[in-house]
């Protein structure tokens, strides 16, 4: 065995940062546990060709803290953590590398559960799972959660309807102009749900086949990617890249509600205040796109389908409470959501004490 684990000094407010290296397989990874106040940490494994260890550290810490927020708001009984593997996902993957990664996860004794993320797949995680029971998001088996996309799309859809109730006075989406940016697995599933609900669907993507499918099957209006912020819409559902809302695009947006599956939709925190000042309700992405981790949590807790259904409904309930507080206190939703997470964590810490 050539695997070595080295505990590094974690940033203030974080619990653990572990560096894992295995020269035989080529594994170079970081595992970050932000918080276990609510339960064992959970979050996916990202494989990315980071230029430096410092770049990987910055990313894994940011992502781990985000998972604490996401898991807390989704009421999963899980803390926040993340892992990253340094390497080219198209060139450097081997079964041996992921089995070594599984051994690294196993050495943490259940304090962190991993799953797929950017650059990794269920097949990769299945290799890790040969070495540890703490690798989840697997196909098959009694509790296997499989593809999380349908759960993510359903959570976004439920939250979007709650947002519509606050903004337009009704959850009824009939005739509402909804622009879905990005027609991957989640975006297409969301578009199908919106079409079934009677929305006037507008779509954009760089994949012509996906656009053709949406136009033919869903009656969607297709626009070019660079026309998004010049298009009239009621609701904007970003389901592609992050940082789509920035100092240039934010002021151009015509929608009154933003609810989508893309991660890190705001280029910087100040965008939330600018949107609020314009009367635009933004539903924080880490709240509404939690369907995937809810699906994985069902596998971790060995829970039946009712667990996933109840937690998806719970997300919508929290969005309702968040919007109500934002309206009462005249504050933006990102501030309110952060306060709600802090209250959840503080309550957990009090109960432990």
């Amino acid at each position: 065995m050539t695997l070595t684990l080295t505990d590094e000094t974690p940033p203030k407010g974080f619990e653990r940062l572990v560096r894992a290296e295995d020269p035989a397989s080529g594994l170079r990874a970081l595992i970050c546990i932000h918080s276990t106040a609510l339960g064992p940490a959970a979050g996916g494994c990202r494989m990315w060709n980071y230029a430096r260890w410092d770049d990987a550290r910055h990313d894994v810490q940011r992502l781990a803290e985000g998972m604490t927020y996401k898991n807390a708001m989704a009421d999963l009984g899980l803390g926040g953590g993340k892992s990253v593997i340094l390497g080219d996902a198209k060139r450097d993957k081997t079964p041996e590398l992921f089995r070594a990664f599984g051994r690294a996860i196993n050495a943490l004794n259940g304090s962190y559960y991993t799953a797929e993320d950017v650059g990794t797949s269920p097949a990769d995680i299945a290799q890790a799972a040969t070495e540890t029971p703490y690798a989840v998001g697997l196909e098959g088996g009694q509790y296997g959660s499989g593809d999380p996309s349908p759960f993510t799309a359903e959570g976004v859809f439920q939250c979007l309807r709650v947002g519509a109730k606050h903004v337009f006075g009704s959850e009824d989406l009939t005739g509402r102009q909804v622009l879905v940016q990005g027609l991957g697995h989640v975006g297409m599933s969301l578009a199908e749900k919106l079409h079934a609900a009677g929305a006037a669907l507008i779509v954009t993507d760089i994949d012509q086949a996906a656009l053709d499918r949406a136009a033919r099957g869903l009656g969607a209006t297709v626009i070019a990617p660079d026309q998004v912020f010049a298009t009239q819409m009621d609701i904007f559902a970003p389901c592609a890249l992050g940082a789509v809302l920035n100092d240039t695009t934010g002021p151009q947006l015509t929608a009154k509600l933003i609810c989508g599956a893309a991660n890190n939709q705001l280029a910087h925190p100040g965008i939330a205040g600018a949107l609020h000042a314009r009367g635009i309700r933004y539903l924080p992405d880490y709240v509404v796109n939690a369907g995937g981790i809810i699906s994985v949590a069902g596998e971790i807790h060995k829970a039946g389908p009712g667990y996933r259904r109840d937690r998806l409904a719970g997300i919508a309930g929290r969005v309702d409470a968040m919007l109500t507080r934002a309206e009462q206190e005249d504050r933006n939703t990102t501030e309110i959501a952060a306060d709600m997470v802090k209250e959840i964590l503080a309550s957990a810490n009090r109960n432990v004490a």
Side-chain angles (χ1 to χ4, degrees):
M1 292 288 184
T2 61
L3 176 69
T4 60
L5 299 182
T6 306
D7 271 286
E8 300 190 352
T9 302
K12 183 179 180 181
F14 286 68
E15 293 184 11
R16 195 173 184 189
L17 179 62
V18 178
R19 180 167 170 164
E21 296 178 272
D22 182 65
S25 67
L27 176 70
R28 297 187 302 151
L30 289 167
I31 305 163
C32 183
I33 297 176
H34 175 254
S35 172
T36 56
L38 298 173
C45 171
R46 176 170 296 192
M47 187 170 186
W48 194 260
N49 199 20
Y50 299 100
R52 304 176 303 158
W53 279 101
D54 282 347
D55 296 335
R57 284 188 193 91
H58 174 78
D59 205 28
V60 76
Q61 289 163 189
R62 175 183 63 85
L63 294 166
E65 184 173 16
M67 289 308 301
T68 294
Y69 277 55
K70 179 177 289 193
N71 294 343
M73 286 292 274
D75 187 28
L76 300 182
L78 296 171
K82 207 79 172 184
S83 51
V84 297
I85 295 175
L86 289 76
D88 187 330
K90 295 181 179 179
R91 185 190 65 209
D92 299 334
K93 284 184 180 181
T94 64
E96 292 76 18
L97 183 145
F98 280 95
R99 287 198 289 269
F101 175 67
R103 293 195 296 275
I105 297 301
N106 202 56
L108 302 185
N109 298 314
S111 60
Y112 166 68
Y113 284 82
T114 194
E116 68 169 305
D117 200 314
V118 175
T120 62
S121 69
D124 299 326
I125 301 304
Q127 288 292 336
T130 64
E131 302 286 345
T132 180
Y134 308 117
V136 292
L138 306 175
E139 301 283 354
Q142 183 177 359
Y143 301 104
S145 54
D147 182 5
S149 300
F151 296 99
T152 302
E154 177 63 21
V156 172
F157 178 67
Q158 290 192 25
C159 292
L160 188 148
R161 293 181 64 204
V162 171
K165 181 185 70 173
H166 280 261
V167 175
F168 305 112
S170 172
E171 292 185 356
D172 186 2
L173 298 176
T174 304
R176 289 284 170 210
Q177 294 177 305
V178 186
L179 195 158
V180 178
Q181 180 190 44
L183 292 173
H185 291 304
V186 176
M188 185 64 80
S189 181
L190 177 62
E192 291 168 352
K193 294 175 185 295
L194 290 166
H195 171 69
L201 198 58
I202 308 166
V203 298
T204 189
D205 199 289
I206 58 173
D207 183 346
Q208 190 60 47
L211 294 173
D212 292 344
R213 176 183 165 191
R216 288 195 306 267
L218 307 178
T221 298
V222 174
I223 64 168
D226 62 2
Q227 291 300 302
V228 168
F229 296 99
T231 300
Q232 183 63 43
M233 69 188 92
D234 297 312
I235 301 170
F236 180 41
C239 296
L241 298 175
V244 67
L245 292 160
N246 54 47
D247 292 321
T248 299
T249 59
Q252 300 174 31
L253 185 67
T254 60
K256 293 299 182 185
L257 173 66
I258 303 165
C259 179
N263 288 311
N264 304 313
Q265 294 166 22
L266 307 184
H268 60 80
I271 300 297
L275 293 170
H276 176 74
R278 293 185 58 211
I280 299 172
R281 310 298 209 290
Y282 164 68
L283 305 189
D285 46 65
Y286 71 84
V287 179
V288 306
N289 69 10
I293 192 63
I294 286 174
S295 177
V296 168
E299 185 176 343
I300 292 172
H301 294 309
K302 296 181 171 52
Y307 176 92
R308 296 178 175 93
R309 182 182 61 249
D310 292 346
R311 293 310 183 282
L312 285 172
I315 294 176
R318 280 179 171 76
V319 166
D320 193 18
M322 177 185 68
L323 286 168
T324 298
R325 281 183 60 173
E327 291 156 9
Q328 291 172 343
E329 300 175 23
D330 192 22
R331 297 167 62 209
N332 72 65
T333 49
T334 59
E335 293 175 343
I336 297 297
D339 283 353
M340 291 172 72
V341 170
K342 290 173 184 174
E343 290 161 8
I344 292 168
L345 294 175
S347 176
N349 288 329
R350 284 194 300 271
N351 290 338
V352 169

